[in-house]
Amino acid sequence: MSEQKKVIFSGMQPSGVITLGNYLGALKNWTNLQEEYNCLYCIVDMHAITVRQDPATLRKNARDLLMLYIAAGLDPEKNIIYMQSHVSAHAELAWILNCFTYMGELSRMTQFKDKSNKHSDNINVGLFAYPSLMAADILLYQTDLVPVGVDQKQHLELTRDIAIRFNNAYGETFRVPEPYISKVGAKIMSLQEPTKKMSKSDEDINATLSILDDPDTIVRKFKRAVTDSDAAVRYDELQKPGISNLMTIYSVITGMGMDQIEAEFEGKGYGDFKLKVAEAVTEELRPLQEKFKALSKDKAYIDTIIKKNAETANYLATKTLRKVQKKVGFPPVMR
Ligand code: TYM
């Protein structure tokens, strides 16, 4: 990693095929950062087990997600793309940070509240302590910027608080990271309930769009997307959340502003608009899907990437971990 460049860290949970929300809110932006920054992109399998996962499916999803990162345009020679569970420093630092994180802080996290409502039979300690593991992910690499969607902002604020608290107690140890949230697309909404965010775990398959959906499915889901009875393509998040969400999707993909989109569809019906959005999404995802298919056939190449990047991540993470262990007073390991 070049010393002069700033460090970017982000991650996704391999808890299913990622959605158009994950792609537009995070992954697509990551690909624009790889020249200017030193970037680490993690597949956070340790976070994923905070809700029950089938082991074989988790293994497959983790590998698929790594291939999707590459298929979306992340160059594995320029970015450190790796599995969280391959770098044990994440768990070790998370433990230390748990001792600097308050129960009150964790119980205020909206993701914890949402997930514990959804999985009321399994409100485990890992789900509760999820944000201190996330803080460890970020702080291990002396990260400057964290590109995420809006839903992760609260976790990042907590990460900053933990870093500042630790630095105040032990002297400068962690760089205090900043969130990096794009203006448009940072919160893509459900296609069926457009006041709710699009989420991998939604039970209604028509509510989400997987980035591996085929063109027919994409058209069908957009045709069924919930809109309103007003029939004017106009941006108004409060009164017209469905249409505004489709406009956001179209805007992030085409780069057009909302007024340009309104002008393009002036006097046209929702049917035309929905088809145009579906077409734009299909064309956006086509190269990614083709690359993903090709990568799926190259097991040896993917294995090499996984191994090599885990080594680099381990090297970097261990540097920070050793510093932290020393500061809190752990006796040095005798060699
Ligand atoms: P996860 O796996 O839920 O989501 C991955 C990324 O996708 C963004 N995102 C969205 N963006 C726009 N619209 C949506 N509907 C939408 N849904 C999800 C998320 O904001 C995220 O950027 N806790 C994290 C994973 C994580 C992490 C980290 C992220 C673990 N450690 C360290 C950054 C840094 C999560 O659950 O993301």
Side-chain angles (χ1 to χ4, degrees), residues 9-15 18-27 29-30 40 42-45 47-48 65 69 84 90 111 115 130-131 133-139 143 145-153 155-156 159 180-182 184-190 196-200 245:
F9 182 96
S10 201
M12 286 193 187
Q13 297 193 61
S15 49
I18 61 167
T19 68
L20 187 67
N22 298 129
Y23 175 72
L24 296 180
L27 185 51
N29 305 326
W30 299 355
L40 295 112
C42 189
I43 287 105
V44 296
D45 48 0
H47 278 98
L65 185 51
Y69 282 3
Q84 186 183 29
H90 286 250
Q111 186 168 306
K115 288 206 173 169
Y130 181 113
L133 176 59
M134 180 159 161
D137 301 342
I138 297 167
L139 299 179
T143 301
L145 294 169
V146 186
V148 282
V150 165
D151 63 335
Q152 295 302 316
K153 195 161 175 249
H155 286 160
L156 267 170
T159 300
Y180 191 88
I181 297 173
S182 59
V184 193
K187 192 171 186 187
I188 302 296
M189 310 308 265
S190 151
K196 242 179 56 181
K197 79 162 186 177
M198 183 181 284
S199 160
K200 265 185 239 124
N245 188 37

Side-chain angles (χ1 to χ4, degrees), residues 33-226:
L33 305 168
Q34 52 193 342
E35 304 299 334
E36 209 182 320
Y37 299 95
N38 285 328
C39 303
L40 295 112
Y41 295 113
C42 189
I43 287 105
V44 296
D45 48 0
M46 289 162 64
H47 278 98
I49 63 161
T50 54
V51 305
R52 289 283 174 264
Q53 305 285 340
D54 168 64
T57 313
L58 178 60
R59 227 176 336 261
K60 177 176 189 307
N61 283 341
R63 214 180 149 90
D64 282 356
L65 185 51
L66 184 126
M67 290 190 284
L68 284 171
Y69 282 3
I70 302 172
L74 292 180
D75 179 346
E77 300 295 330
K78 287 192 186 137
N79 303 274
I80 302 169
I81 301 175
Y82 71 101
M83 306 288 178
Q84 186 183 29
S85 61
H86 291 181
V87 182
S88 59
H90 286 250
E92 294 178 74
L93 182 62
W95 176 256
I96 297 175
L97 298 184
N98 273 333
C99 304
F100 293 84
T101 310
Y102 299 113
M103 304 275 285
E105 290 175 314
L106 293 176
S107 38
R108 280 195 290 279
M109 295 292 117
T110 40
Q111 186 168 306
F112 171 68
K113 291 189 212 162
D114 289 351
K115 288 206 173 169
S116 36
N117 278 335
K118 233 188 210 157
H119 306 276
S120 54
D121 55 335
N122 181 24
I123 306 177
N124 59 70
V125 176
L127 190 65
F128 188 64
Y130 181 113
S132 38
L133 176 59
M134 180 159 161
D137 301 342
I138 297 167
L139 299 179
L140 270 177
Y141 301 95
Q142 305 296 345
T143 301
D144 295 282
L145 294 169
V146 186
V148 282
V150 165
D151 63 335
Q152 295 302 316
K153 195 161 175 249
Q154 197 186 26
H155 286 160
L156 267 170
E157 280 159 7
L158 181 59
T159 300
R160 290 171 55 85
D161 290 346
I162 297 171
I164 293 168
R165 186 172 302 151
F166 194 96
N167 287 348
N168 285 342
Y170 296 100
E172 241 6 69
T173 311
F174 296 122
R175 197 164 296 160
V176 181
E178 301 278 344
Y180 191 88
I181 297 173
S182 59
K183 288 198 182 69
V184 193
K187 192 171 186 187
I188 302 296
M189 310 308 265
S190 151
L191 298 179
Q192 289 301 311
E193 273 180 84
T195 50
K196 242 179 56 181
K197 79 162 186 177
M198 183 181 284
S199 160
K200 265 185 239 124
S201 57
D202 203 313
E203 272 155 23
D204 181 351
I205 53 160
N206 290 318
T208 63
L209 206 126
S210 141
I211 63 167
L212 293 178
D213 277 346
D214 59 47
D216 290 346
T217 309
I218 295 175
V219 169
R220 186 170 33 94
K221 288 186 179 176
F222 277 111
K223 270 190 182 163
R224 287 194 188 165
V226 168

Side-chain angles (χ1 to χ4, degrees), residues 248-314:
T248 301
I249 293 171
Y250 196 64
S251 166
V252 184
I253 293 176
T254 61
M256 287 165 75
M258 294 305 171
D259 24 345
Q260 272 176 293
I261 301 176
E262 285 172 7
E264 182 183 342
F265 293 98
E266 169 98 66
K268 296 192 180 128
Y270 284 172
D272 286 350
F273 176 53
K274 284 176 163 180
L275 279 180
K276 264 299 187 35
V277 180
E279 209 174 277
V281 170
T282 305
E283 287 317 310
E284 172 78 16
L285 297 181
R286 191 191 301 282
L288 180 154
Q289 295 184 351
E290 281 167 6
K291 185 125 193 251
F292 175 79
K293 239 188 234 157
L295 286 170
S296 307
K297 292 186 189 127
D298 202 345
K299 183 171 179 306
Y301 171 68
I302 298 299
D303 288 348
T304 316
I305 302 285
I306 293 176
K307 181 163 180 284
K308 203 170 117 212
N309 282 310
E311 281 164 7
T312 316
N314 255 305

